[in-house]
């Protein structure tokens, strides 16, 4: 008997697989992040050079040709950025540009395409600083990890005067501390690189694609980063994308300024200054999607900045550095443009509360602290009010446009109802009156003409019955025409009513054979009835005296109902009656509504054939779609 494997031995392959998966994921993230900087630098250099050249030569009309070329190159670089997303596993929604024409019209359309301008702004202004930041972090993080882990070795060759001696001077000289930090940097390396790649992909997809989406899965056992749900419709240029673009630019600009300001002017430790600047700058970006998270991140970053900069509060603006005031203003503007007013009020209240707490809890009053707080509260209040008013103004314009559209729809609906009432009056005055006269004449024939033969009397009774049915349907049609809200009162015919229809047609003296499948879904019953009704009317009118065959049966695969009405060549002694030519059009419309097909045309013996194929679906009210009982009537 083979010995049982220990739990540790069975778990070893699983740990190895997970380790290899993490290594592959780290390699893929690095392959996405590192090439981004050369691509961003190339697009920045080319597009900026072409932009400057086009603006400089605009006076001699050369720039009018260079700027469209610049937009085309911007779209080409944007396609490369979307290709990078594909390689990482994120599939952006397809982008549709405005169609271009030839000559001057094509140039105008190219210059008027907002989608190309958004590509140009991203590749010229945003791509290079975004990818520069991710590249620096992606390179600096492993370098710091390796440097701290090997500090015990290379620290021996560094002169003592170059090593930091002021507290905390033991930060780098203590081997245990440096090794512990090195291990921490090394362990967090996959998470940091993953976050950098995710941030780059999220912003690129939000600006260059449709709604942010998640890429397809691949058979590598790795989880894909969740960046949102992919929109099924093509990407369009909207105000949201421009908010993303502007917020991204402001975030990068604030990060580039706030970090050195906190580290140099306020003497904050570079690592802490980096964290505070990154949190404060990223708060507006986060607030676009999650307002509560943006407000919380900004409040924590502001509180941390107040505590970190308090030692130099007497010399520099405190409790709000200039970069903090700018970040708070940007946050309020984003909230005002994207969310409801109470989020703006919450963000402003959080800033005012932090100012009040900082002013009250400091042991000694800070010179200029009150003025600094007043500046923040007043400026942010003004921006918040303007932003809320602008959003309300946009909402009012949208409501006004919706009201105009609704008014136009109501006016069109009223005009349609008036036209339908006019048609209903015409039908009532012409058709209903004539049918009433026919009904009265057929009903009173036996009293006006006593002594009629029984067969003649039966003929008049059939005419009276048909006229009464026509009058009933006419009244239902008039009710529908006169009101949009009228309940459907027209009789609903099914396949079981077709034998009665055929029998009434036989009363004209025509020879008709029929084979009708009745056990089919009810959804095709009314359409089949109208098809047979119109086909019989056409055959009786255009081919008097001809034999007619009516068939309605399921196909062999039980998925469609085949309806056929075939008449032989007309009797030469009878003259055909004229028709309006609208019957076949009505049949095509009814069949098309169900997704079926219609075939009409003459037969080889001089007759005419109408064949309609109606797809059937199982219906609980109709029972099964199997072959059911058939109704046969002798010809």
């Amino acid at each position: 008997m083979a010995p049982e494997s220990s739990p540790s031995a069975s778990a070893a392959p699983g740990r190895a697989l997970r380790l290899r998966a993490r290594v592959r994921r780290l390699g893929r993230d690095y392959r996405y992040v590192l090439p981004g900087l050369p691509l961003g630098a190339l697009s920045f250099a080319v597009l900026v050079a072409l932009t400057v050249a086009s603006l400089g030569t605009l006076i001699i009309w050369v720039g009018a040709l260079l700027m469209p070329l610049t937009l085309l190159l911007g779209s080409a670089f944007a396609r490369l950025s979307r290709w990078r997303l594909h390689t990482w596993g994120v599939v952006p929604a397809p982008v549709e540009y405005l169609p271009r024409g030839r000559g001057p019209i094509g140039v105008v359309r190219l210059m008027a395409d907002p989608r190309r301008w958004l590509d140009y702004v991203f590749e010229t202004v945003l791509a290079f600083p975004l990818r520069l930041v991710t590249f620096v972090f992606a390179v600096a993080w492993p370098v710091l990890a390796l440097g701290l882990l090997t500090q015990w070795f290379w620290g021996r060759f560094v002169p003592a005067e170059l090593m930091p001696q002021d507290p905390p001077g033991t930060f780098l000289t203590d081997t245990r501390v440096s090794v512990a930090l090195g291990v921490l940097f090394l362990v967090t390396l996959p998470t940091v690189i993953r976050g950098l790649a995710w941030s780059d992909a999220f912003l690129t997809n939000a600006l260059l694609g449709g709604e942010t989406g998640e890429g397809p899965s691949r058979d590598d056992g790795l989880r894909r980063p969740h960046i949102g749900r992919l929109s099924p419709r093509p990407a369009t240029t909207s105000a949201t994308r421009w908010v993303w673009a502007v917020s991204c630019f402001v975030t990068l600009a604030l990060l580039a300024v706030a970090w050195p300001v906190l580290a140099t002017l306020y003497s904050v430790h570079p690592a802490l200054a980096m964290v505070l600047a990154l949190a404060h700058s990223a708060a507006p970006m986060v607030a676009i999607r999650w307002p509560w998270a943006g407000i919380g991140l900004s409040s924590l970053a502001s509180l941390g900045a107040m505590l970190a900069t308090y030692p130099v509060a007497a010399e520099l603006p405190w409790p709000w550095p200039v970069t903090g005031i700018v970040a708070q203003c940007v946050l309020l503007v984003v909230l005002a443009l994207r969310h409801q007013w109470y989020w703006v009020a919450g963000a402003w209240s959080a800033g005012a509360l932090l100012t009040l707490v900082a002013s009250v809890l400091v042991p000694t009053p800070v010179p200029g602290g009150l003025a600094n707080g007043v500046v923040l509260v007043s400026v942010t209040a003004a921006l918040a009010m303007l932003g809320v008013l602008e959003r309300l103004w946009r909402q009012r314009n949208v409501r006004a446009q919706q009201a105009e559209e609704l008014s136009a729809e109501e006016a069109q609906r009223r005009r349609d109802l008036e036209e339908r009432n006019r048609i209903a009056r015409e039908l009532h005055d012409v058709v209903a009156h004539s049918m009433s006269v026919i009904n009265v004449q057929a009903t009173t024939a036996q009293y006006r003409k006593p002594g009629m033969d029984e067969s003649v009397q039966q003929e008049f009774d059939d005419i009276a019955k048909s006229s009464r049915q026509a009058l009933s349907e006419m009244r239902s049609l008039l009710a529908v025409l006169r009101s949009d809200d009228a309940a459907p009162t027209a009789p609903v015919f099914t396949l079981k009513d077709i034998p009665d229809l055929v029998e009434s047609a036989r009363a004209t003296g025509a020879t008709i054979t029929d084979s009708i499948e009745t056990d089919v879904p009810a959804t095709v019953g009314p359409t089949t009835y109208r098809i047979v009704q119109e086909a019989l009317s056409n055959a009786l009118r255009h081919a008097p005296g001809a034999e007619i065959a009516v068939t309605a049966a399921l196909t062999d695969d039980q998925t469609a109902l085949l309806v056929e009405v075939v008449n032989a060549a007309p009797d030469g002694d009878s003259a055909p009656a004229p028709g309006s030519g609208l019957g076949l059009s009505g049949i095509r419309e009814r069949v098309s509504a169900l997704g079926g097909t219609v075939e009409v045309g003459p037969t080889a013996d001089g007759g005419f054939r109408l064949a309609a194929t109606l797809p059937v679906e199982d219906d609980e009210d109709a029972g099964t779609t199997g072959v059911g009982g058939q109704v046969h009537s002798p010809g």
Side-chain angles (χ1 to χ4, degrees):
M1 180 178 297
E4 295 183 358
S5 59
S6 63
S8 59
S10 61
R15 287 196 298 267
L17 289 176
R18 288 194 296 271
L19 180 60
R20 284 197 293 269
R22 291 170 182 170
V23 171
R24 287 199 304 267
R25 186 179 66 181
L26 179 62
R28 189 180 68 255
D29 293 340
Y30 260 112
R31 288 195 301 270
Y32 176 77
V33 172
L34 296 182
L37 180 61
L39 181 60
L42 178 63
S43 64
F44 175 79
V46 173
L47 295 177
V48 168
L50 286 176
T51 302
V52 172
S54 62
L55 293 177
T57 58
L58 187 62
I59 193 172
I60 58 175
W61 293 98
V62 176
L65 299 177
L66 287 179
M67 199 60 207
L69 177 61
T70 306
L71 290 180
L72 289 175
L73 285 176
S75 298
F77 282 115
R79 283 193 291 271
L80 287 177
S81 298
R82 297 186 189 101
W83 175 78
R84 289 181 66 239
L85 290 177
H86 278 277
T87 61
W88 194 61
V90 175
V91 181
V95 174
E96 287 187 352
Y97 297 101
L98 293 180
R100 287 189 296 159
R102 296 182 178 180
I105 300 299
V107 175
V108 172
R109 288 181 178 177
L110 182 66
M111 295 291 291
D113 191 348
R115 177 71 255 182
R116 294 189 182 276
W117 280 104
L118 187 58
D119 293 346
Y120 166 78
V121 169
F122 176 81
E123 295 295 338
T124 306
V125 181
L126 302 178
F128 178 66
L130 171 65
R131 293 164 185 173
L132 177 62
V133 171
T134 57
F135 182 89
V136 169
F137 276 95
V139 173
W141 206 270
V143 170
L144 286 175
L146 294 177
L148 291 172
L149 287 174
T150 59
Q151 186 269 338
W152 60 271
F153 174 73
W154 57 262
R156 301 175 182 177
F157 305 99
V158 178
E161 59 271 12
L162 297 181
M163 298 294 292
Q165 300 297 330
D166 54 324
T170 60
F171 179 75
L172 290 177
T173 57
D174 192 333
T175 303
R176 290 173 297 178
V177 172
S178 62
V179 170
L181 289 176
V183 172
L184 178 62
F185 272 82
L186 189 62
V187 170
T188 57
L189 177 63
T191 303
V192 171
I193 302 305
R194 188 67 166 179
L196 294 174
W198 184 90
S199 302
D200 186 304
F202 182 87
L203 294 175
T204 303
N205 194 26
L207 294 171
L208 296 184
E211 297 295 331
T212 52
E214 184 178 3
S217 60
R218 287 183 286 187
D219 297 332
D220 55 3
L222 300 177
R223 295 178 58 188
R224 291 289 164 265
H226 180 71
I227 301 186
R229 189 173 298 277
L230 186 63
S231 175
R233 59 181 180 275
T236 55
T237 303
S238 61
T240 303
R241 278 193 190 82
W242 287 106
V243 171
W244 276 105
V246 174
S247 300
C248 180
F249 175 75
V250 173
T251 296
L252 295 173
L254 276 176
L255 180 61
V257 175
W259 189 358
V261 165
L262 292 177
T264 304
L265 296 181
Y266 286 87
S267 301
V268 180
H269 193 279
L272 180 60
M274 180 268 293
V275 173
L276 294 176
L278 184 62
H280 229 159
S281 303
M285 293 288 296
V286 176
I288 296 177
R289 182 67 62 87
W290 306 286
W292 54 270
I295 296 174
L297 183 62
S298 176
S299 301
L300 291 176
S302 300
L303 179 61
M306 291 177 184
L307 297 176
T309 58
Y310 178 71
V312 293
E315 304 172 3
L316 296 171
W318 190 88
W320 292 92
V322 177
T323 55
I325 296 177
V326 173
Q328 193 74 4
C329 292
V330 174
L331 174 66
L332 288 172
V333 170
V334 169
L335 291 173
L337 293 177
R338 292 287 299 154
H339 301 287
Q340 297 294 335
W341 62 270
Y342 48 81
W343 292 112
V344 185
W348 180 84
S349 300
L353 181 62
L354 286 174
T355 304
L356 179 62
V357 169
S359 302
V360 171
L361 296 183
V362 292
T364 57
V366 177
L370 180 60
N372 181 270
V374 170
V375 168
L376 173 89
V377 172
S378 58
V379 171
T380 53
L383 287 176
M385 186 177 300
L386 290 176
V388 170
L389 291 177
E390 193 276 338
R391 191 171 190 273
L392 293 176
W393 176 76
R394 284 191 291 115
Q395 289 180 343
R396 188 197 65 177
N397 289 342
V398 171
R399 293 193 184 99
Q401 183 179 359
Q402 293 176 346
E404 291 178 359
E405 294 175 355
L406 180 61
S407 178
E409 291 177 359
E410 290 295 334
Q412 182 63 37
R413 186 177 180 183
R414 186 167 55 251
R415 288 192 296 269
D416 293 342
L417 185 58
E418 292 174 355
E419 180 64 18
R420 289 162 59 180
N421 284 332
R422 186 189 67 80
I423 296 173
R425 287 194 300 270
E426 294 293 334
L427 286 173
H428 179 271
D429 295 341
V430 178
V431 181
H433 174 72
S434 301
M435 294 303 299
S436 299
V437 171
I438 293 173
N439 181 48
V440 172
Q441 288 178 343
T443 304
T444 61
Q446 58 180 329
Y447 305 108
R448 292 183 291 102
K449 306 291 183 181
M452 287 190 304
D453 185 76
E454 184 178 352
S455 60
V456 177
Q457 178 61 41
Q458 183 63 37
E459 186 76 17
F460 278 110
D461 291 342
D462 292 340
I463 294 174
K465 180 181 177 181
S466 298
S467 62
R468 284 193 298 271
Q469 181 178 349
L471 279 173
S472 177
E473 295 183 8
M474 180 64 68
R475 294 190 187 98
S476 301
L477 178 60
L478 294 178
V480 173
L481 284 174
R482 286 195 173 102
S483 175
D484 285 341
D485 302 325
T489 57
V492 179
F493 297 101
T494 64
L495 274 73
K496 296 180 180 180
D497 298 313
I498 294 180
D500 295 336
L501 175 64
V502 173
E503 192 63 34
S504 64
R506 286 198 185 102
T508 62
T511 302
I512 305 175
T513 59
D514 64 294
S515 176
I516 309 300
E517 182 76 51
T518 58
D519 197 8
V520 296
T523 52
V524 299
T527 301
T528 305
Y529 182 89
R530 294 302 181 187
I531 291 173
V532 175
Q533 184 184 46
E534 181 61 33
L536 286 176
S537 299
N538 287 340
L540 294 175
R541 184 166 53 247
H542 299 293
E547 294 184 0
I548 306 172
V550 179
T551 305
L554 290 170
T555 56
D556 295 338
D557 56 1
Q558 309 291 307
T559 60
L561 180 68
L562 178 62
V563 184
E564 280 189 326
V565 180
V566 183
N567 62 267
D571 188 353
D573 298 335
S574 303
S580 62
L582 300 177
L584 294 179
S585 299
I587 289 176
R588 289 191 178 93
E589 292 174 358
R590 291 177 181 273
V591 174
S592 298
L594 295 179
T597 58
V598 179
E599 297 179 2
V600 294
T603 60
D605 58 355
F608 194 82
R609 175 179 177 268
L610 185 149
T613 303
L614 304 175
V616 297
E617 296 179 358
D618 289 337
D619 191 299
E620 294 180 358
D621 299 330
T624 63
T625 60
V627 179
Q630 295 181 346
V631 178
H632 297 279
S633 298

